Structures are given as structure tokens and as C-alpha cells.
Amino acid sequence: MKLTAEISMYPFNENYLDPIQWFIGRVDSYDNIQRVTNAMATQVCGEYADVMSMLAIEMQAAHQKWGKAVFVCKFIGGELDLAHSE
């Protein structure tokens, strides 16, 4: 089963761009997960277990490296076309 998720990271850090860019770079290292980023959030799509595993690993890594951060996630079962825009 496929899963599409939207993730926003809000680091408790004055230099908030570095942690966000670091997180997006880490997400990019997963060849089995499609990623699109815009000014507000990052959308990812892949196999359900792969997406959830990636999020668990990378959110923990972000907290360990950067300290406090809020992650806001929305999930929809299935595969959405991340290239779609209106």
C-alpha cells in the first residue's frame, strides 16, 4: 500500500533554515521515496512502511542533532501525484 505524507518542520532555532535544509537532504537520500518541497512543506510518497520508517528515523535524527523541533504531518493512504498543481 502506498502512503502520501506532508511534513513541515519548525525548529526551535534562530537559524531555522539549516535544520530544515538538513532534514530535506536526508529525506532525499531515500531512493524509494518520492519528494517534492515548496515554501510551506515537503510532500513524500512511497510504500507505507518505507515512508513511516523514514519519518521515524529522520525525525529522531533531527531531534538528536538540532534539539527541539515541531513536526507537523498529514497522511493520506494512497499515492498522490506530487507534481500536480492547480
Side-chain angles (χ1 to χ4, degrees), residues 56-67:
I57 290 166
E58 299 308 334
M59 290 186 339
Q60 181 179 356
H63 286 131
Q64 289 173 333
K65 180 170 179 66
W66 301 101

Side-chain angles (χ1 to χ4, degrees), residues 11-32:
F12 285 29
N13 188 322
E14 284 185 35
N15 185 14
Y16 61 90
L17 286 178
D18 286 345
I20 293 169
Q21 291 170 341
W22 177 89
F23 182 79
I24 292 168
R26 300 267 300 202
V27 171
D28 271 342
S29 72
Y30 292 79
D31 294 333
N32 57 340

Side-chain angles (χ1 to χ4, degrees), residues 31-70:
D31 294 333
N32 57 340
I33 296 174
Q34 180 185 10
R35 178 200 57 87
V36 173
T37 298
N38 60 42
M40 296 289 293
T42 295
Q43 291 87 32
V44 295
C45 185
E47 289 298 322
Y48 197 103
D50 294 342
V51 171
M52 294 303 285
S53 175
M54 178 275 295
L55 289 174
I57 290 166
E58 299 308 334
M59 290 186 339
Q60 181 179 356
H63 286 131
Q64 289 173 333
K65 180 170 179 66
W66 301 101
K68 291 182 181 177
V70 173

